[in-house]
Amino acid sequence: MKHLMTALILCAPLATTAYASSVTPQTLHDSVKKIGAAQAISHLNEQEFQTLTSGITKADPEWLKLVPEIAPGIEGGNASTLVEALARALSKDPKNVISALSDPASASLPGKEKVCTLPFPGEADAYLARYYRLTEPALKNMGEKGKSCLNELHEAFGKIRTTAQDQQNFSLNRQKITPALLWAAMEKNGAEKVASSLSVASRKTLQDGISQGDREWLMIADALVNVTDPQTHTMLMPALATALSQNPGDVLKVAEGNIETDILCAMPFPDASTNALSAYYQKTQTALLRLHRRGENCLKVLQRENELMVNKSR
């Protein structure tokens, strides 16, 4: 964000108004018409620019209509932030997002060609898998108008799981399962059917992979977390809880909105010994502390459960 303090002082009262009032689609539209996109964007402070990108992320139609107007004034890091916001809005309102990007006035927006290609460098694979599952059907519903963006999304997501998926002649339970085989099976038959058809041995392999906190396996867990198969639920909870000590960031992404923190982080291992739970507590506490604020809620539940165990053993 540009902070041109000297220019802002000289340009009062316009700049003063920009900083003193909360930016809205109408005020930004008026500012662009009066002084141009580049100046209007440069006069936004950090909070106001965040209001702009937040409105776009939420697919607010009034903010999305502004994209062609402000595109000529966006550059550098601001452009990347705007592109991410537009990408996040795709699953909510693909029609207006694509309309905004297709406007000739948006041609100068740096990185606009990345909107349909998962432009989220800081996000975990579990988030990307969930994003894909939400955005793909939204684009499909657009028919021909969403086809180009849909193809780009398919290609981008395919690169995430490029572990030589052989989608022909695979057969679950006849060979050791891998994330690639499970993805292929779920694409063909759906997560529900795959979950209910796994053998005991295949389910054990799946549980072991998730327990180790491997990202590819956690993507599978994210795809299965809402299936109704009871055996899958019974397996997923301790597997994800075990993975907390290995890869807490991605595990919490999988759990978000799907699994209660009070359950996942409360050492859900009914048959474990006190010594095993104590060792798990120490390892998981260390892992969660590295997440700082992101791990706070889970850490509180873990510590509470450990205190109850310690008090009970006295």
Side-chain angles (χ1 to χ4, degrees), residues 163-171 175 178 180-181 184-185:
T163 50
Q165 293 185 12
D166 182 9
Q167 296 190 20
Q168 295 180 356
N169 302 320
F170 70 87
S171 177
Q175 55 186 305
T178 65
L181 285 172

Side-chain angles (χ1 to χ4, degrees), residues 52-250:
L52 161 65
T53 55
S54 177
I56 291 172
T57 297
K58 295 173 183 176
D60 185 311
E62 295 302 312
W63 284 114
L64 286 173
K65 282 195 298 186
L66 273 179
V67 171
E69 292 186 34
I70 64 174
I74 300 288
E75 59 185 14
N78 286 346
S80 298
T81 302
L82 184 63
V83 165
E84 283 196 35
L86 286 164
R88 293 183 198 278
L90 264 180
S91 64
K92 306 177 186 78
D93 190 353
K95 179 180 177 181
N96 279 329
V97 172
I98 291 176
S99 176
L101 292 171
S102 301
D103 192 298
S106 297
S108 61
L109 175 63
K112 68 182 288 285
E113 71 282 355
K114 297 178 182 178
V115 169
C116 302
T117 64
L118 299 165
F120 314 117
E123 294 291 359
D125 289 345
Y127 171 87
L128 298 179
R130 188 179 304 165
Y131 171 88
Y132 175 81
R133 292 202 312 275
L134 291 172
T135 308
E136 184 196 31
L139 288 170
K140 278 184 176 178
N141 287 339
M142 287 188 65
E144 200 62 32
K145 291 184 178 179
K147 189 173 182 180
S148 177
C149 187
L150 181 62
N151 289 340
E152 291 176 20
L153 180 69
H154 282 159
E155 183 179 357
F157 189 64
K159 292 177 182 178
I160 296 174
R161 32 178 222 202
T162 52
T163 50
Q165 293 185 12
D166 182 9
Q167 296 190 20
Q168 295 180 356
N169 302 320
F170 70 87
S171 177
L172 288 176
N173 303 324
R174 292 185 181 179
Q175 55 186 305
K176 186 173 181 178
I177 65 168
T178 65
L181 285 172
L182 285 168
W183 276 120
M186 286 190 287
E187 284 187 351
K188 182 178 181 180
N189 301 312
E192 287 283 356
K193 187 172 181 179
V194 169
S196 62
S197 66
L198 290 174
S199 67
V200 174
S202 292
R203 203 178 298 278
K204 180 64 167 59
T205 300
L206 173 59
Q207 181 175 359
D208 290 344
I210 294 170
S211 296
Q212 292 167 14
D214 181 85
R215 279 192 168 188
E216 283 191 287
W217 285 109
L218 287 175
M219 287 174 68
I220 298 297
D222 192 58
L224 293 174
V225 73
N226 288 317
V227 299
T228 58
D229 179 63
Q231 288 182 302
T232 300
H233 278 288
T234 301
M235 174 274 296
L236 278 177
M237 186 61 68
L240 287 169
T242 302
L244 272 175
S245 63
Q246 307 290 333
N247 186 356
D250 283 344

Side-chain angles (χ1 to χ4, degrees), residues 252 286-297 299:
L252 292 178
T286 300
L288 288 169
L289 284 170
R290 287 197 292 267
L291 289 182
H292 303 294
R293 293 188 64 182
R294 286 179 58 211
E296 279 182 355
N297 292 336
L299 183 60

